[in-house]
Amino acid sequence: PELVRKVQRVLRRDRAPRAHVVAMDVETGRVLAFASSDPENFPPHRAYPAASLVKIVTAAAAIDHAPRLARSTCRYTGSPWRLTRSRVDPPRKGKEASLERALSTSNNQCFAQLAVHGIGAERLLGAVRRFGWLDSPAPGHEAGLAVAGEDAYALGKLGSGLAGSRITPLHAVQLAASL
């Protein structure tokens, strides 16, 4: 309770309008503190877009499926954060990034290409399932969601975190704890 009070003081002091803070013991999975700055308008038990956290799941799926993908490079053009239908396919010429660099810079094009050309929908959704995102992380909390869509562009958006996935704050902290 004292840790929760301290976290709430920090949230008030820093005027965080919509924030959730979850402190977890990574050894036991025990939640030590769970505080929200606006639980009525930003409920902590609801699922929200997973955004770039999906990139960690995509990278894990790639390494699990084909470890060579971890050592390959991605080629992309323009802004690494802008994804279009044509940028799901690697260009003939362009900038290159390793998987490590793509993850550290949150490169949407690289992760979309990895999802589409390296992993596929079934394996990516399997990785999402193994990370527990499709289940409720605790009583009263929503299950997560992952939708690969009907085409390569939708799968690319899922793999890069631009669309197709929703998780709760507890899902996010469980991902961090597993890392």
Side-chain angles (χ1 to χ4, degrees), residues 6-88:
K6 287 180 180 181
V7 170
Q8 287 172 331
R9 275 195 299 271
V10 170
L11 290 173
R12 281 191 301 276
R13 181 194 70 206
D14 292 346
R15 295 183 181 99
R18 294 200 173 188
H20 300 296
V21 176
V22 184
M24 177 184 276
D25 181 326
V26 297
E27 298 288 322
T28 65
R30 182 172 170 247
V31 173
L32 305 173
F34 198 147
S36 297
S37 59
D38 187 359
E40 284 190 33
N41 295 311
F42 190 48
H45 61 279
R46 289 245 174 94
Y48 298 98
S52 288
L53 291 177
V54 173
K55 289 179 175 80
I56 296 167
V57 176
T58 303
I63 292 167
D64 183 52
H65 168 62
R68 66 174 169 68
L69 292 173
R71 293 180 296 282
S72 64
T73 58
C74 160
R75 191 174 303 118
Y76 66 96
T77 59
S79 168
W81 305 290
R82 187 165 177 345
L83 184 65
T84 62
R85 287 188 180 281
S86 64
R87 290 180 178 177
V88 168

Side-chain angles (χ1 to χ4, degrees), residues 96-170:
E96 291 194 7
S98 65
L99 179 61
E100 181 180 334
R101 178 78 177 153
L103 185 58
S104 69
T105 60
S106 197
N107 187 314
N108 290 328
Q109 291 183 50
C110 287
F111 278 89
Q113 292 171 22
L114 187 58
V116 171
H117 299 287
I119 302 167
E122 188 175 321
R123 286 188 186 95
L124 182 55
L125 292 173
V128 167
R129 190 174 303 104
R130 284 190 300 280
F131 274 101
W133 284 11
L134 302 181
D135 300 318
S136 170
H141 289 254
E142 292 180 359
L145 170 75
V147 179
E150 298 294 319
D151 61 10
Y153 186 51
L155 177 58
K157 289 195 295 186
L158 173 63
S160 62
L162 291 174
S165 62
R166 297 177 72 78
I167 60 172
T168 67
L170 275 178

